[in-house]
């Protein structure tokens, strides 16, 4: 019986202990099936011991499937990967303790050491195996969960397996905690060796797609066999290719390869990121490897990391990736501390990141390049170069009149394909730069106008709809089709600039040029009103002779109707001039606020801080300020300064508030429509003179009605904007929610909007309110607004009567 028990404990059934329940059911244990002479208590004790043998058999089978290549192809849907193999190795090592207990038990039985008389007491054997009865069920549950997940599309691999083991290790049973911690440590060692390879050599050792650093566009040859995380990673790569914050450009010209390497090829896979690795630490690790790769592949001359620095970093981090028993302590916290010292890892990664960033900063000398690039962004994206901006508007309008009418619109119900290509827009920037300072600017050649293709929509996909509403609101205001100004990144600017940043700049550019175009058209409308007024006086002198003759004829009863038409035309022109003045005041206030109160101070401060980082003096038109205490030289610092300045600028421009942005867009559209109607009337010779003919009179009165309607809509949108701005000023919030700054350089995520500088946006909104309050007769006092609207309403009623 005892030998049968030892055979069962070794994982093999025999004549006494057989799998139970018997076939065809799935066995869950070894049990004594036919032994009537046993007492029920003895049978129960033997069955509990035999259960350990069944567990051991299952564990051995699991280890064989993970470590022996002959098994997985038939019994598992995919190979387990390096993490699962490390777990299997650790489990195999721990099971050696169990095997030693079996050997020691057999030796004790044969030597009579445990004999009580001539009988070996069953409780003695049970006591030897008691610790395993506390841990084997937990290990069995763990393996069952791993095998069940392996049959799904979300197996426990990489960081997911580490999280699972970390949860299992949080146990109050000491032996269970010890075993799970040992398994966890084995998986953490695999992760640490991958981290070491990445942060010291810039290489990903991840044949099974389990590392939390994901290479989206892999240059390494794809293996023919299935991978542990292949399905999940394929979906992520697909989503990464599609998920852009902006609609995709139709241009087939690729971005610079360095830019793709830095910001698009390597990302943090949040699905594979274990809970013990914070997002801040993960992005710091990502930054180090990307910096090494980008520097190594820099053109025209590579900038490899010095060998001495690499060896220093290797000596720092390698002890965390080694399984050295001598480094283990005997204190009470050994079980928890031996898994992975996260505090030490964080300090080491921080030191490595600082060394890499400072080395590249010194070698690349990025400060001057950054300042020049940001100054070009200010001139072109932010329309600081007013002459270039005006000529760009003229070039866009000429393109819209001439080529766009012949080529066709971007998307129509009958022609959903793109009939305009990027090369059609290629000469617009060059033409706009002629005769300006931008003509000789070499950086202008890196700017281009791109057509944008709307993102593909799927059924129930509201995320893309929200992104499309939040960004690109003003893109179609330039040509009536989605067009965006873009900048082609190149080394080393892609260390701190991302395509997301360029998308934000494109938003601001479309927003500003829409306002500038409305302002320019309203300025032209003033000339058109003056022109129609002069035509009116010329018509009177031509048809009626001298002024005395005109006065005499005016008193004549026969000329009563003609005189009424003259007075009516003069009155209409006065109303049109007043409407234009109201519109121009609002648009001009908005433009002045954006350029003087928002963009200029924010960008001046940004350039000052960056120049202090590099220690630049006298290389820019931006005045230096002693108030800034920025002294660190780091890509992290430049990125964080730029990201925060860009975010604050977008907030102060009201682009982060969809409600306020849409109101501004509506009032600008009303102003442009107003100018279009007025320009059409000014293009003729009759202006607003009635009495020429029935058809001409009807057209004139219809235009006057449309002008009044556009003005009323403009006033309504302006009142809503003023109301929204007042609510922002009272509440101190733009209702855009906390916005997280993404730190690609490892600073982590921090809420922008809760610091002292976050209140600058609200203070700047107050500046806009003060500018708009300068002419109170425009605004919201109901009685005044109703009184002023009354004149227009009367003219509209008269226009309706004349139309009838």
């Amino acid at each position: 019986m005892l030998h049968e028990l030892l055979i069962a404990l070794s994982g093999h059934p025999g004549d006494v202990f057989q799998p139970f329940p018997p076939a065809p059911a799935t066995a869950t244990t070894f049990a004594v099936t036919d032994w009537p002479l046993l007492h029920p208590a003895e049978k129960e004790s033997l069955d509990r011991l035999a259960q350990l043998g069944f567990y051991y058999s299952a564990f051995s089978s699991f280890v064989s499937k993970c470590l022996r290549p002959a098994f997985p192809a038939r019994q598992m849907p995919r190979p387990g990967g390096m993490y699962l193999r490390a777990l299997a190795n650790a489990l195999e090592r721990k099971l050696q303790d169990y095997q030693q207990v079996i050997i020691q038990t057999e030796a004790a039985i044969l030597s009579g050491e445990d004999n009580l008389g001539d009988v070996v007491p069953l409780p003695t054997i049970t006591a030897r195996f008691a610790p395993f009865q506390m841990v084997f069920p937990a290990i069995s549950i763990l393996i069952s969960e791993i095998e069940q997940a392996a049959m799904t599309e979300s197996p426990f691999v990489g960081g997911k397996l580490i999280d699972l083991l970390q949860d299992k290790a949080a146990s109050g049973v000491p032996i269970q905690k010890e075993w799970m911690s040992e398994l966890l440590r084995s998986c953490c060692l695999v992760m640490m060796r991958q981290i070491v390879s990445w942060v010291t050599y810039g290489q990903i050792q991840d044949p099974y797609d389990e590392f939390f650093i994901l290479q989206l566009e892999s240059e390494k040859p794809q293996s023919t066999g299935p991978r542990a995380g292949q399905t999940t990673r394929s979906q992520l790569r697909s989503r990464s290719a599609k998920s852009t914050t902006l609609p995709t450009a139709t241009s087939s010209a690729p971005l610079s390869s360095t830019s793709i390497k830095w910001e698009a090829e390597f990302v943090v896979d949040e699905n594979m990121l274990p809970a013990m690795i914070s997002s801040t630490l993960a992005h710091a690790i990502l930054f180090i490897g990307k910096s090494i790769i980008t520097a190594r592949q820099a053109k025209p001359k590579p900038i490899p990391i010095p060998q001495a620095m690499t060896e220093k970093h290797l000596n720092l981090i390698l002890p965390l990736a080694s399984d050295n028993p001598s480094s283990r302590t005997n204190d009470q916290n050994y079980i928890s501390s031996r898994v992975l010292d996260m505090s030490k890892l964080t300090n080491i990664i921080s030191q490595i990141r600082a060394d890499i960033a400072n080395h590249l900063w010194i070698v690349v000398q990025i400060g001057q390049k950054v300042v020049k690039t940001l100054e070009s962004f200010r001139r072109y994206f932010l329309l600081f170069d007013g002459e270039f901006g005006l000529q760009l508007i003229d070039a866009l309008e000429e393109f819209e009149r001439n080529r766009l009418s012949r080529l066709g619109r971007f998307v129509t119900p009958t022609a959903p394909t793109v009939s305009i290509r990027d090369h059609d827009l290629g000469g617009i920037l060059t033409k706009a730069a002629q005769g300006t300072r931008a003509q000789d600017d070499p950086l202008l050649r890196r700017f281009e106008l791109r057509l944008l293709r709307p993102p593909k929509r799927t059924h129930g996909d509201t995320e893309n709809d929200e992104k499309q509403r939040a960004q690109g609101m003003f893109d179609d205001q330039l040509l009536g089709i989605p067009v965006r100004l873009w900048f082609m990144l190149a080394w080393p600017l892609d260390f701190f600039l991302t395509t997301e940043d360029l998308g934000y700049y494109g938003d601001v550019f479309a927003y500003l040029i829409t306002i500038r175009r409305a302002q320019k058209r309203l300025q032209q409308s003033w000339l058109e009103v003056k022109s129609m007024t002069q035509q009116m006086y010329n018509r009177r002198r031509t048809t009626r002779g001298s002024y005395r003759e005109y006065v005499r004829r005016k008193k004549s009863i026969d000329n009563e109707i003609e005189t009424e038409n003259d007075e009516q035309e003069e009155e209409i022109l006065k109303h049109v001039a007043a409407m234009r003045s109201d519109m121009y005041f609002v648009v001009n206030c908005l433009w002045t606020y954006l350029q003087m109160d928002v963009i200029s101070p924010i960008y001046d401060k940004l350039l000052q801080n960056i120049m202090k980082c590099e220690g630049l003096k006298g290389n820019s038109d931006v005045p230096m300020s002693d108030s800034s205490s920025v002294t660190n030289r780091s890509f992290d610092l430049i990125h964080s300064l730029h990201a925060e300045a860009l975010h604050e600028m977008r907030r102060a421009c009201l682009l982060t508030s969809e409600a306020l942005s849409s109101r501004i867009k509506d009032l600008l559209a009303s102003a442009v429509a107003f100018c279009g109607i007025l320009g059409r009337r000014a293009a003729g010779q009759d202006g607003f003179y009635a009495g020429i003919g029935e058809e001409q009179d009807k057209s004139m009165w219809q235009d006057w009605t449309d002008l009044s309607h556009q003005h009323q809509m403009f006033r309504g949108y302006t009142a809503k904007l003023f109301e929204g701005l007042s609510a922002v000023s009272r509440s101190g919030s733009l209702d855009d929610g906390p916005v997280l700054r993404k730190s690609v350089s490892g600073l982590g995520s921090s809420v922008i909007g809760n610091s002292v500088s976050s209140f600058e946006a609200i203070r700047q909104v107050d500046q806009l309110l003060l500018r708009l309050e300068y002419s109170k007769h425009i605004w919201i006092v109901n009685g005044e607004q109703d009184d002023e609207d009354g004149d227009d309403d009367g003219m509209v009623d008269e226009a309706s009567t004349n139309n009838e």
Side-chain angles (χ1 to χ4, degrees), residues 582-583 585-587 590 654 659-660 662-668 670 710-728 730 768-769 772-773 775-782 784-786 788-789:
D582 284 349
M583 292 182 172
F585 172 80
V586 176
V587 175
L590 187 58
L654 311 177
L660 295 177
S662 61
R663 291 168 186 172
I664 292 175
K665 180 180 179 181
D666 291 337
L667 69 86
L668 292 175
S670 296
Q710 292 296 335
H711 180 243
Q712 290 174 5
M713 291 177 61
F714 181 89
R715 289 170 64 92
Y717 294 138
T718 305
K720 291 180 180 179
L721 175 63
F722 192 86
E723 181 181 355
L725 293 174
S726 301
V728 169
R730 289 192 302 268
L768 178 57
L769 285 171
L772 294 175
E773 275 284 347
S775 181
K776 292 186 178 180
H777 72 277
I778 297 179
W779 304 117
I780 299 177
V781 180
N782 292 331
E784 295 180 6
Q785 188 175 6
D786 292 341
E788 291 191 13
D789 288 343

Side-chain angles (χ1 to χ4, degrees), residues 33 125 159 278 310-311 318 323 361 378 442 464 477 703 769:
T33 56
I125 299 176
S278 65
T310 301
E311 293 178 357
L318 195 57
D323 189 15
W361 182 278
R378 187 180 192 179
N464 284 336
Q477 300 298 300
D703 287 342
L769 285 171

Side-chain angles (χ1 to χ4, degrees), residues 59 132 234 328 365 376 410 472 567-568 617 691 741 761:
F59 300 162
F132 302 103
S234 299
R328 302 180 182 180
Q365 298 179 351
S376 70
F410 183 70
E567 294 176 348
Q568 196 172 61
K617 294 182 180 179
R741 177 177 64 217

Side-chain angles (χ1 to χ4, degrees), residues 3 25 74 99 134 144 153 203 285 359-360 368 411 422 436 461 468 492 497 612 648 713 748 773 783 798:
H3 289 287
R74 296 192 303 269
Q99 296 170 357
M134 303 180 69
S144 177
E153 297 297 330
Q203 298 177 357
I285 295 171
H359 169 74
L360 294 179
Q368 185 63 54
V411 176
D422 287 306
T436 68
D461 187 7
Q468 192 174 11
L497 280 174
K612 282 184 176 292
E648 291 298 332
M713 291 177 61
E773 275 284 347
E798 184 177 355

Side-chain angles (χ1 to χ4, degrees), residues 215-480:
Q215 188 174 3
L216 295 177
E217 298 179 6
S218 179
E219 295 179 354
K220 59 188 177 182
Q222 299 291 334
S223 61
T224 57
R227 296 184 176 183
Q230 186 177 30
T231 304
T232 314
R233 289 297 181 95
S234 299
Q235 295 172 353
L236 180 60
R237 289 189 177 99
S238 177
R239 288 197 302 269
S240 299
K242 297 177 181 178
S243 62
T244 55
T245 55
L246 307 169
T248 56
T250 61
S251 175
S252 58
L255 294 173
S256 66
S257 59
T258 306
S259 174
I260 295 175
K261 285 283 183 187
W262 176 253
E263 63 192 78
E265 183 173 357
F266 298 101
V267 296
V268 173
D269 183 1
E270 299 291 343
N271 292 326
M272 291 293 179
L273 184 64
M276 64 173 61
I277 303 291
S278 65
S279 178
T280 301
L281 182 59
H283 282 90
I285 295 171
L286 175 67
F287 171 80
I288 295 170
K290 288 198 300 183
S291 299
I292 296 173
I293 293 174
T294 308
R296 189 167 56 225
Q297 299 178 355
K299 295 180 180 180
K301 184 179 179 180
I303 310 174
I305 304 300
Q307 184 64 29
M309 184 179 292
T310 301
E311 293 178 357
K312 171 189 172 183
H313 296 163
L314 193 61
N315 293 332
L316 283 174
I317 197 172
L318 195 57
L320 294 179
S322 61
D323 189 15
N324 186 5
S326 62
S327 63
R328 302 180 182 180
T329 61
N330 295 321
D331 60 4
Q332 295 180 354
N333 297 324
Y334 164 67
I335 292 179
S336 59
S337 65
R338 70 176 181 176
V339 173
L340 188 59
D341 191 342
M342 293 306 304
S343 177
K344 187 174 181 180
L345 175 62
T346 302
N347 293 334
I348 292 174
I349 292 298
S350 178
Q351 183 175 348
I352 295 175
R353 180 183 56 79
D355 290 344
I356 294 293
N358 290 332
H359 169 74
L360 294 179
W361 182 278
I362 294 172
V363 174
V364 177
Q365 298 179 351
I366 194 174
Q368 185 63 54
K369 299 180 180 68
V370 171
V371 171
K372 289 182 179 179
T373 302
L374 292 181
E375 286 177 344
S376 70
F377 283 10
R378 187 180 192 179
R379 287 195 298 271
Y380 305 128
F381 274 124
L382 306 181
L383 298 182
F384 187 73
D385 190 340
E387 188 178 9
F388 171 80
L390 290 176
Q391 293 196 182
L392 178 58
I393 293 173
D394 293 336
L396 289 169
E397 290 179 345
E398 181 181 356
F399 179 85
E400 186 176 13
R401 287 192 304 268
N402 298 336
R403 301 192 65 186
L404 197 60
S405 58
R406 297 196 303 268
L407 293 173
R409 291 290 174 178
F410 183 70
V411 176
T412 64
T414 57
T417 58
V418 179
S419 56
I420 303 176
R421 296 294 181 263
D422 287 306
H423 65 265
D424 297 323
L425 305 173
I428 292 181
L429 293 179
T430 304
K431 185 175 182 180
Q434 292 179 356
T436 68
R437 292 188 302 172
Q439 184 175 3
D440 300 325
D441 188 358
L443 286 176
L444 181 63
R445 291 192 290 269
R446 296 173 64 180
F447 288 84
E448 63 179 6
L449 289 171
R450 290 186 179 182
L451 292 170
L452 303 181
R453 188 185 300 276
K456 295 181 180 180
R457 296 184 179 181
T458 57
H459 180 68
D461 187 7
T462 59
E463 183 178 356
N464 284 336
D465 294 339
E466 292 176 358
K467 287 182 179 180
Q468 192 174 11
R469 287 196 302 269
Q471 295 192 358
M473 181 181 292
F474 292 87
D475 287 335
D476 59 351
Q477 300 298 300
L478 304 179
L479 296 174

Side-chain angles (χ1 to χ4, degrees), residues 523-578:
Q523 291 172 342
Q524 293 174 344
S525 297
W526 180 82
L527 297 176
E528 292 167 351
V529 172
K530 287 295 183 181
S531 174
M532 286 189 289
T533 303
Q534 187 62 39
Q535 288 179 4
M536 178 185 67
Y537 289 133
N538 292 340
R539 191 187 313 113
R540 290 177 181 178
R541 285 194 295 268
T542 301
T543 58
R544 297 175 177 84
S546 65
Y547 179 75
R548 292 182 180 179
E549 180 67 17
Y550 164 70
V551 173
R552 186 186 65 79
R553 291 169 61 90
K554 184 177 180 181
K555 296 179 180 179
S556 173
I557 299 177
D558 296 337
N559 293 290
E560 182 177 354
I561 297 177
E562 187 174 356
T563 301
E564 182 180 353
N565 290 338
D566 291 340
E567 294 176 348
Q568 196 172 61
E569 180 183 14
E570 187 173 355
E571 190 70 20
I572 289 176
L573 287 175
K574 289 181 180 178
H575 277 280
V576 169

